[in-house]
Amino acid sequence: MARFTHEVPMRWSDMDAYRHVNNSAYFAYLEQARVAMFFHRHESFSAGTVISRHEIDYLRPIVYHPQPLSLQLWIDRVGGARFTIEYEIWDGTVLAARAATTCVTFDFAANRPRRLTDEERGILATYADEPA
């Protein structure tokens, strides 16, 4: 399967006083794509995952238009209780940003991280990026 692609519409309110999409809106775009990738398709992840880190490199400003942004997501690193999602945010044919999110599987009853299950590892493997 490799990369997962999800289209995310922009909202007029995502723009700021500098007339480009505000940096805080990017986190919502990442979240929408991540939820589409996992939680709408794989119920096991909805039971306990938290975010431990976000990174974003802004490459080009985005100005509101009615066409959705295209986000490509893939899994880069998998550890015992964590995994990293990499993203590219495309504004048409222009790469506007690159991002990464570190997710930790979490046991809310015990209030601590938990190890990834074999089922979860299998799901993550289907989103591993194909070598160029």
Side-chain angles (χ1 to χ4, degrees), residues 8-87:
V8 175
M10 292 180 277
R11 300 173 307 169
W12 178 256
S13 61
D14 292 343
M15 299 256 290
D16 62 19
Y18 297 108
R19 292 189 258 166
H20 67 276
V21 171
N22 187 277
N23 67 79
S24 63
Y26 287 70
F27 292 105
Y29 302 155
L30 300 178
E31 179 183 53
Q32 288 176 50
R34 190 172 57 252
V35 166
M37 182 177 178
F38 288 112
F39 303 113
H40 290 314
R41 292 178 172 79
H42 306 292
E43 193 171 306
S44 63
F45 277 100
S46 63
T49 305
V50 296
I51 304 304
S52 67
R53 182 176 176 82
H54 282 300
E55 298 176 52
I56 300 179
D57 293 322
Y58 303 96
L59 306 174
R60 301 278 187 275
I62 298 174
V63 176
Y64 174 84
H65 52 77
Q67 295 77 28
L69 299 171
S70 179
L71 277 73
Q72 293 183 10
L73 298 73
W74 64 95
I75 302 302
D76 185 45
R77 293 176 294 280
V78 178
R82 69 180 55 220
F83 57 95
T84 302
I85 305 169
E86 298 283 338
Y87 311 79

